[in-house]
Amino acid sequence: MNIQTTRVTELLGIKYPIIQGGMAWIAEHTLASAVSNAGGLGLIAGGSAPIDYLREQIRLTKAAVGDKPFGVNIMLMSPNAEDLAQLVIDEGVPVVTTGAGNPGKFMAAWKEAGIKVIPVIPSVALAKRMERAGADAVVAEGTESGGHIGENTTMCLVPQVVDALEIPVIAAGGIADGRGIAAAFMLGAEGVQLGTRFLAADECQIHPTYKELVVGAKDTDSIVTGRTTGHPCRNVKTKFSKRLASGEMNGTLTPDEFEKITLGSLRKAVQDGNLEEGSFLCGAIAGLVKKTEPAKDMIEEMFTQAQEILAK
């Protein structure tokens, strides 16, 4: 099995079938361009950032990668989703990934503009809906992922999505080395999306405290908060995240109070390294991430390892 020539590499025009996750407040032009220049697909996170800022990020990435592809992640629940949906057309962005909603109403305009559309999905039902809507591929993301999560695990979700669709499936959640990539391909995926491993990339611009938490994490150092709000989110275990989790479970934090306390908490983690009020989003696989290094070294090492495993 040659995992470096798949429908995903052909669709996206990339050397390695790997996408860097569109992590809000984290995935900006420096990281995205490093991943694209290393042969993967770098993503800029749209989040709810101002359109002028995102236009600048797109142009900086374009300047850094030349004719190599890159993408933008659009959170469809964001208040600026409509504007961002138009911005990617205006700026000639080659790939869009989407989360938190159905991109159906934007699909025709994106396809007309030649944009490849890859929704991130947590279930077979949503995957089927995205294929019908015209998606080029989907990212099947398991609950092991950092940030907002579904309930199904990567191991269970990926093969079921593969069986249900004709379009390529990209696996995400709990993948941080060549063994994870090899496992994803054995489940039928034709590419992978990684977030947590790239938090430790030299080019990732998060606060040093955030990187230290990721690199120093053990297997038991992730915690899910926000289950009572209907928006569960996986974090690194800190005093703040443990206080949130226990407060919502024992009823001392109402959903409204929870929302108030967590407002802006990701920015406080990413930019300030604020351990008292920051949400350090991170996947359950962080215990496997042991060092910081260039994104290019990460990608080449992981795919060499994966190819060796699958060649046995």
Side-chain angles (χ1 to χ4, degrees):
M1 183 191 291
N2 180 4
I3 62 172
Q4 277 180 232
T5 307
T6 72
R7 286 191 294 169
V8 170
T9 57
E10 289 166 5
L11 172 71
L12 301 177
I14 52 180
K15 180 179 178 183
Y16 298 102
I18 184 169
I19 299 175
Q20 158 248 316
M23 302 167 281
W25 285 100
I26 295 167
E28 45 68 77
H29 73 94
T30 316
L31 179 59
S33 56
V35 172
S36 284
N37 281 328
L41 184 81
L43 292 183
I44 299 162
S48 52
I51 292 299
D52 288 345
Y53 165 80
L54 292 169
R55 184 181 292 109
E56 181 191 30
Q57 291 293 306
I58 290 167
R59 291 179 179 181
L60 286 167
T61 304
K62 264 188 184 172
V65 303
D67 60 356
K68 293 186 180 76
F70 69 98
V72 171
N73 174 260
I74 300 178
M75 292 296 287
L76 297 162
M77 280 170 55
S78 295
N80 71 345
E82 297 263 354
D83 293 338
L84 188 47
Q86 185 58 46
L87 179 68
V88 295
I89 295 172
D90 297 342
E91 292 297 322
V93 173
V95 184
V96 164
T97 68
T98 66
N102 187 337
K105 66 177 178 176
F106 305 122
M107 197 70 85
W110 285 342
K111 303 302 284 184
E112 198 176 315
I115 296 172
K116 304 287 193 304
V117 184
I118 306 178
V120 179
I121 54 91
S123 70
V124 170
L126 190 55
K128 285 179 169 178
R129 207 179 312 152
M130 294 301 96
E131 183 175 52
R132 286 196 300 270
D136 294 282
V138 297
V139 175
E141 184 176 68
T143 192
E144 298 92 327
S145 295
H148 291 290
I149 53 171
E151 291 296 335
N152 218 339
T153 67
T154 305
M155 182 73 84
C156 297
L157 179 65
V158 172
Q160 293 183 76
V161 174
V162 168
D163 287 352
L165 304 187
E166 297 295 327
I167 57 175
V169 176
I170 297 154
I175 303 168
D177 68 0
R179 292 172 296 181
I181 293 173
F185 274 79
M186 292 306 292
L187 295 174
E190 295 182 59
V192 292
Q193 177 172 289
L194 274 64
T196 300
R197 179 75 189 262
F198 286 123
L199 292 174
D202 289 345
E203 299 88 352
C204 184
Q205 302 294 299
I206 57 176
H207 194 279
T209 299
Y210 199 153
K211 279 197 187 182
E212 287 163 18
L213 283 174
V214 174
V215 172
K218 302 189 300 296
D219 60 332
T220 54
D221 281 344
S222 89
I223 188 169
V224 177
T225 60
R227 289 201 189 279
T228 58
T229 68
H231 302 291
C233 214
R234 190 175 298 283
N235 310 249
V236 181
K237 205 179 277 182
T238 61
K239 282 182 183 174
F240 178 66
S241 58
K242 285 194 282 189
R243 181 160 63 86
L244 288 176
S246 62
E248 64 174 328
M249 289 307 166
N250 65 25
T252 55
L253 265 185
T254 66
D256 284 349
E257 288 169 332
F258 182 94
E259 295 287 354
K260 193 175 176 183
I261 291 171
T262 55
L263 188 67
S265 62
L266 178 55
R267 181 185 55 77
K268 290 173 184 173
V270 173
Q271 295 185 344
D272 309 330
N274 186 334
L275 288 166
E276 306 302 317
E277 303 171 302
S279 292
F280 295 84
L281 305 186
C282 187
I285 201 67
L288 212 58
V289 182
K290 301 296 185 191
K291 61 180 179 180
T292 59
E293 58 188 320
K296 184 175 190 287
D297 293 356
M298 290 179 176
I299 292 170
E300 289 175 357
E301 174 205 293
M302 288 190 291
F303 276 92
T304 299
Q305 184 188 23
Q307 197 65 73
E308 286 171 356
I309 291 166
L310 292 168
K312 287 178 181 174

